[in-house]
Amino acid sequence: MNTQAGNRLHRIVIVGGGAGGLELATRLGDTLGRRGKADITLIDRTRTHIWKPKLHEIAAGSMDIGDHEVGYLAQAHWHHFHFRIGEMTGLDRRQRLVHVAPYVDAEGQQVTPARSFPYDTLIISVGSQSNDFGTPGVRENAMKLETPGASTYAW
C-alpha cells in the first residue's frame, strides 16, 4: 500500500470510535499496521469507548462503567494504530485533510490544539443519536442512555 510518491505508508483515517470505527481500527491495525503496510489513525472526541448494549446495566447501577470501558490509547498501542482525541470540525476533500477541534478537559484546560490529519483513505464512522420523535418534553427532560454522564446522575 505504499504510494507512488515514495515510501510513505498509505494513511487511513477513521473518524468515530464507536463499535464500527473501533473494530475497524483494531482489525486494520492488527493486519496492515502490524506489518507496516499502512498508517492507521482513529479520531474520536472521547478517551474511551463504552459498548452501548451495556449502558442500561450501567445506568441501573448494576455494573461499573469502568469495568466496561475500552481506552482508545491502550487499544491503539496493543493493536498498532494511532489514537487522536478531538471532534471533527471540517473536511478538506481537495487537500485530503480532516480538521479536528482543540481538546479541552473537564476543567476547561486545552490539552491539544486544533489540528488537521492528512489521509489517503477516510472512513466516517460517527454513529447516530437517539431520536425523541418530536415528543414534547423529551429533549428537555430525558437522559439518553448513550450519554456516559447519565449513568452517574445523582438521583
Side-chain angles (χ1 to χ4, degrees):
M1 287 189 106
N2 291 345
T3 63
Q4 295 82 10
N7 291 331
R8 178 178 57 81
L9 293 177
H10 187 85
R11 300 165 300 189
I12 302 170
V13 173
I14 303 164
V15 178
L22 181 58
E23 179 70 17
L24 181 60
T26 300
R27 286 185 182 211
L28 290 174
D30 285 345
T31 56
L32 301 175
R34 177 180 304 215
R35 294 193 305 250
K37 301 281 186 184
D39 183 37
I40 299 106
T41 300
L42 174 66
I43 299 170
D44 196 88
R45 63 183 177 185
T46 63
R47 292 179 292 130
T48 61
H49 169 76
I50 301 164
W51 181 239
K52 283 187 180 183
K54 295 279 186 193
L55 284 177
H56 70 285
E57 295 173 80
I58 294 165
S62 62
M63 186 177 289
D64 182 7
I65 194 169
D67 291 342
H68 297 279
E69 287 180 304
V70 174
Y72 291 122
L73 199 54
Q75 185 80 357
H77 174 74
W78 295 327
H79 296 279
H80 314 282
F81 64 90
H82 306 284
F83 169 65
R84 301 295 179 246
I85 194 165
E87 184 171 358
M88 180 178 157
T89 57
L91 178 63
D92 183 334
R93 292 176 60 198
R94 181 169 291 150
Q95 292 187 17
R96 301 180 78 99
L97 292 171
V98 173
H99 302 296
V100 176
Y103 178 71
V104 178
D105 67 16
E107 287 78 40
Q109 298 295 314
Q110 182 175 306
V111 177
T112 60
R115 56 225 188 273
S116 298
F117 297 94
Y119 66 87
D120 297 306
T121 299
L122 175 64
I123 297 101
I124 304 289
S125 182
V126 293
S128 63
Q129 296 291 317
S130 294
N131 189 342
D132 63 21
F133 299 100
T135 305
V138 170
R139 182 173 293 145
E140 299 81 18
N141 300 301
M143 288 185 301
K144 298 174 183 173
L145 282 178
E146 65 206 32
T147 304
S151 64
T152 58
Y153 182 76
W155 297 95

